[in-house]
Amino acid sequence: MENNTFQVDRFWKLVVRNLKSLKKYWVQSTLIIAGFPLLFFLINISPMRMIIDLEERTSFMFTMVGILMIISPFMLFFNYNHPKKGFTEVMLGASVLEKYLVMQLACLIFIPLTTVMIFCAMDSLLALLIPFFYNGFVIKEIWQRPIDWQEITFELLFLQAILFFNLLFVRKKVLKTIGVFILTTIVIITAMVITVTIWKSSGSLELVNIEFSLSERGLFDINANDHPLVVLLMVTRIFIQVIVPPAFVIGSYFILKNKRY
C-alpha cells in the first residue's frame, strides 16, 4: 500500500471508485427520497383532508437530512472493517488519510447535499406542475430559514460518534453503538445527580427556581453570578460540543490507520 500521504489524483480516483461501487444504493436512495414529495402530494389530494404544507415539508426535509447524515457511516461503510468483506478496501492503493477523508466527505457533504438536491428537485417539479395542491418551494424556504447552529453541532457530534463506533466494532455494530449511547446517557445523568446530591448535603448548594435555556446562551457564555447547576450544565455542554467531537475524529482516524486483518 502507498505511504500515508495525500495525492489529489489518487484521492479523486478513490472518490470515483466509491461512487461507482454504490450505484445500486444511489438508485434506491434516489427513488426513496424523491418519493416523499410525491407521497405528500398524494396525501394533499386524498380524501383524508390532510394538508402537508410548505413548512411541514421543509421541516421534514431538514429532519431527514440530519438522520441520513448521522447514520451514513452505517449505510456507506458498514463492511469497511469486516475481516473478509473489508479486505478489498485495505488493499487499495491509497493512503489511510485519503480513505479517511473520503469517509468524512461522503458523510458530511455528499449525503446531505444529494439528499437536499433530490428532495428539492421533486418538490419543485410538483410545485410547478400542480401548484393548487402542492404550494410553495422548499428550496426557497431553505434560504429564508436561519441556521440552527445548536442542532448542526449535535448532528455532527452524533455523526462522528457513529463513524468512530462503526470502525471500532466489527460485529453487531448497531446494537453495540446504541448500547454505548444508552450507557453514556446513564453515566452522565448519574454523575450529575451524585454531584447535585453532594452539593446539597454539604449545604453549599441552595436549590431555587432556575430559569435557564441552553439555546439562549453562547457556548462559552458563563457568568460569575450563575447558579452552580447552570455552571455544571454549561461545562458539560462545552465538553460534549468542543472536546468530544475532535476526540472522535482523531480516534476514528487512528482506528483506521492501525486496523489489522
Side-chain angles (χ1 to χ4, degrees):
M1 188 170 85
E2 303 287 344
N3 58 9
N4 199 34
T5 58
F6 181 85
Q7 296 181 11
V8 176
D9 57 339
R10 194 171 60 189
F11 174 73
W12 177 248
K13 289 179 182 178
L14 187 61
V15 172
V16 173
R17 178 195 176 276
N18 277 269
L19 291 176
K20 288 182 178 179
S21 65
L22 296 169
K23 281 183 180 179
K24 185 177 179 181
Y25 166 80
W26 295 125
V27 172
Q28 294 173 344
S29 299
T30 299
L31 293 175
I32 294 172
I33 295 169
F36 282 111
L38 184 58
L39 175 63
F40 298 153
F41 165 71
L42 295 175
I43 292 175
N44 287 352
I45 65 173
S46 70
M48 293 188 297
R49 296 183 179 180
M50 290 180 58
I51 299 296
I52 310 297
D53 59 20
L54 177 60
E55 179 69 21
E56 292 171 325
R57 284 164 21 217
T58 306
S59 297
F60 176 86
M61 191 207 67
F62 276 115
T63 302
M64 179 174 62
V65 169
I67 292 174
L68 290 178
M69 183 178 71
I70 289 172
I71 66 173
S72 57
F74 287 152
M75 297 189 300
L76 302 179
F77 307 107
F78 191 81
N79 293 319
Y80 211 91
N81 61 347
H82 192 278
K84 294 181 179 179
K85 297 178 181 179
F87 192 69
T88 303
E89 306 298 331
V90 178
M91 299 305 296
L92 288 176
S95 68
V96 175
L97 177 61
E98 289 160 352
K99 295 175 184 177
Y100 185 66
L101 289 177
V102 166
M103 288 183 176
Q104 292 286 0
L105 180 67
C107 298
L108 283 171
I109 299 177
F110 196 78
I111 285 290
L113 186 60
T114 52
T115 302
V116 170
M117 290 174 60
I118 294 168
F119 187 95
C120 288
M122 178 58 75
D123 179 88
S124 300
L125 179 62
L126 292 172
L128 285 170
L129 296 178
I130 320 162
F132 183 77
F133 294 103
Y134 201 91
N135 188 32
F137 296 86
V138 168
I139 186 65
K140 183 179 179 181
E141 184 73 9
I142 291 174
W143 298 110
Q144 297 176 347
R145 279 201 175 193
I147 299 176
D148 190 341
W149 292 111
Q150 187 80 12
E151 181 179 346
I152 291 176
T153 301
F154 278 103
E155 287 175 354
L156 293 177
L157 167 64
F158 282 111
L159 165 61
Q160 297 305 328
I162 287 183
L163 179 59
F164 174 82
F165 291 121
N166 181 59
L167 293 173
L168 178 65
F169 300 134
V170 178
R171 295 177 176 83
K172 298 181 180 180
K173 296 183 178 187
V174 178
L175 289 177
K176 289 180 179 179
T177 301
I178 293 174
V180 169
F181 283 149
I182 294 174
L183 181 61
T184 302
T185 302
I186 294 173
V187 169
I188 292 175
I189 293 175
T190 303
M192 294 185 73
V193 170
I194 291 174
T195 302
V196 171
T197 303
I198 293 174
W199 278 350
K200 184 180 178 182
S201 61
S202 65
S204 59
L205 178 63
E206 182 182 355
L207 294 178
V208 295
N209 292 328
I210 304 174
E211 294 184 1
F212 172 72
S213 175
L214 284 175
S215 61
E216 297 176 358
R217 287 280 190 113
L219 184 58
F220 299 99
D221 189 8
I222 302 177
N223 303 320
N225 59 345
D226 278 337
H227 192 277
L229 283 178
V230 174
V231 175
L232 177 61
L233 287 173
M234 291 297 293
V235 170
T236 303
R237 176 191 179 192
I238 292 171
F239 175 76
I240 292 175
Q241 293 186 232
V242 177
I243 306 300
V244 176
F248 278 133
V249 170
I250 296 171
S252 298
Y253 174 77
F254 278 99
I255 289 175
L256 187 63
K257 182 179 180 180
N258 297 311
K259 180 66 181 176
R260 296 293 180 266
Y261 290 82

